[in-house]
Amino acid sequence: MKYRLLPETGQKVSEVGFGVWTLSTGWWGEYTEKQALEFLHRARDLGINFFDTADVYGDGYGELLLGKAFGDASEEVVIATKVGYDFSGTSRGRGQRELPQDFSEGFLRKAVDDSLRRLRRETIDNLQLHNIRMEHVEDDALWALLEALRQEGKIRSYGIALGPAIGWLYEGITALRLRRPSVVQHIYNLLEPFPGRPLMDAAPDQNPRFLVRVPHSSGLLEGKYTAETTFPKGDHRNHRPTHWLPNGLKKVEQLRFLEEPGRTLGQAALQWILCEPRILSCLPNIYTMEQLEEFAAAPEAPSLSRVELDRIEQLIAGNFGIEEPPEAYKGTMISAASA
């Protein structure tokens, strides 16, 4: 495993991290507590020391898992969590309906204290505002509160997590220019490079601050899906648009040249992301032990060559020769309208 420096903390973060939402939300399968803890401990054994969660994941369950797994290892394990959603007394079921947000001082202070209790920690390494809108980016009092929490020792650093069709391109760019958060989490992968690149280009410096989630485009870039692939009821991938799988499969076939002895397509997808020095860590969706072993080994797999990187850029520039339907860009357009 290789490591990068988390801004403003001096902490070293593994290039491959672990997003705990796969273990705690039920959107990627069901896991017993024993199974979830086995995943987390095995990840640590493989050199992963960075774990990302949110208070809303399983209504606190993701944080409770990390507290049980690493509550006594606060110096060895770096944990990021997110706040901003009110999940008390409100259920969205197993779908993707958004919960009410609350970024008031009273609510956020209680949310941070609750997260600290569940994580069994005195300090949160990185606190992210979960799916902020432009009004939150422009709220001076909100950012003053984050700085106060840092001064009080409740958090070491803070940042934002951006959500498609919620708070996205312009929200992220404005936050980078106006607030300079130490961490920005967003989607970015070989099949979905936008708006990740404009976001990174808006950064005020070259420091590694970007956390990349969904680096395999919800599993497509692992190279194992087929036209017959289906997902269980309640699975997160069922919320992808209908063109996502067939068009994605056509693109993946054009990336097969990245597979070679000692390097899988899934590892190459992570290496491509980590070629960008402004990226702090990538958070693959891990829901099998086989994936965990494969992805943790990605930094040590044979590196992508300049020829391979140039070929990738040519494919991306031409969208792999595939014309996407208009709904492919709805997330970006919604965000643009909100700005």
Side-chain angles (χ1 to χ4, degrees):
M1 182 58 67
K2 298 178 182 178
Y3 301 85
R4 301 186 181 188
L5 198 62
L6 177 62
E8 301 178 13
T9 70
Q11 295 172 299
K12 292 183 178 180
V13 172
S14 54
E15 289 187 341
V16 177
F18 197 126
V20 182
W21 78 313
T22 56
L23 302 179
S24 57
T25 62
W27 293 347
W28 297 86
E30 300 290 345
Y31 301 90
T32 65
E33 180 180 292
K34 180 175 182 292
Q35 290 172 325
L37 293 175
E38 286 174 353
F39 270 93
L40 297 176
H41 288 139
R42 181 56 182 154
R44 186 69 191 98
D45 291 342
L46 293 170
I48 294 175
N49 79 332
F50 179 58
F51 297 85
D52 177 82
T53 188
D55 62 356
V56 76
Y57 292 171
D59 293 354
Y61 183 52
E63 292 177 333
L64 286 170
L65 286 173
L66 288 173
K68 289 185 177 182
F70 306 121
D72 298 325
S74 59
E75 299 302 317
E76 303 172 14
V77 172
V78 180
I79 292 179
T81 192
K82 312 176 195 72
V83 293
Y85 281 111
D86 183 359
F87 54 90
S88 61
T90 305
S91 174
R92 60 176 165 183
R94 300 300 293 274
Q96 298 292 293
R97 295 182 298 278
E98 190 181 14
L99 293 171
Q101 287 183 305
D102 191 338
F103 289 97
S104 65
E105 179 173 358
F107 181 86
L108 289 185
R109 281 191 172 277
K110 183 178 184 304
V112 168
D113 287 342
D114 288 344
S115 291
L116 287 168
R117 173 180 50 80
R118 288 188 289 260
L119 291 169
R120 302 182 184 181
R121 290 197 159 204
E122 294 182 359
T123 304
I124 295 169
D125 296 312
N126 181 259
L127 182 74
Q128 298 162 37
L129 301 177
H130 205 169
N131 293 340
I132 59 172
R133 269 75 169 182
M134 191 64 77
E135 64 187 276
H136 308 125
V137 176
E138 296 172 341
D139 184 353
D140 291 339
L142 174 58
W143 294 88
L145 171 60
L146 291 174
E147 184 58 28
L149 290 169
R150 189 179 71 82
Q151 294 290 339
E152 294 166 15
K154 292 191 174 183
I155 63 176
R156 285 193 173 89
S157 63
Y158 51 84
I160 57 176
L162 303 171
I166 296 175
W168 199 224
L169 176 58
Y170 292 102
E171 289 82 353
I173 289 175
T174 304
L176 281 163
R177 292 175 177 170
L178 187 63
R179 305 300 180 182
R180 299 200 170 196
S182 59
V183 161
V184 176
Q185 183 173 159
H186 61 95
I187 293 172
Y188 183 61
N189 59 64
L190 281 164
L191 305 185
E192 298 164 300
F194 185 86
R197 284 187 174 175
L199 282 171
M200 289 187 286
D201 289 342
D205 51 49
Q206 294 296 307
N207 292 332
R209 73 176 69 239
F210 294 95
L211 296 177
V212 171
R213 72 178 186 272
V214 200
H216 292 106
S217 190
S218 299
L220 263 172
L221 286 164
E222 295 175 43
K224 299 175 182 177
Y225 293 171
T226 70
E228 287 72 44
T229 297
T230 58
F231 306 104
K233 184 178 179 181
D235 190 285
H236 180 73
R237 288 160 288 190
N238 287 319
H239 296 278
R240 286 280 193 167
T242 55
H243 67 271
W244 168 73
L245 182 60
N247 282 3
L249 291 174
K250 295 175 185 176
K251 296 176 182 180
V252 167
E253 287 308 307
Q254 297 179 64
L255 292 168
R256 292 289 183 184
F257 70 91
L258 297 174
E259 297 174 311
E260 64 171 56
R263 186 179 71 200
T264 65
L265 180 60
Q267 290 174 330
L270 296 179
Q271 285 194 352
W272 178 78
I273 290 169
L274 292 170
C275 282
E276 169 55 65
R278 292 173 294 187
I279 287 171
L280 176 64
S281 182
C282 51
L283 301 163
N285 295 327
I286 298 170
Y287 43 94
T288 71
M289 282 292 181
E290 180 184 10
Q291 289 173 316
L292 177 55
E293 302 277 345
E294 176 187 352
F295 299 156
E300 300 299 333
S303 300
L304 298 177
S305 68
R306 184 70 260 169
V307 171
E308 289 171 325
L309 289 170
D310 288 344
R311 186 172 173 186
I312 289 171
E313 289 307 307
Q314 291 173 358
L315 289 169
I316 291 175
N319 195 35
F320 297 81
I322 296 172
E323 183 177 351
E324 303 284 5
E327 60 265 27
Y329 305 99
K330 282 184 178 179
T332 300
M333 295 307 293
I334 290 173
S335 183
S338 71

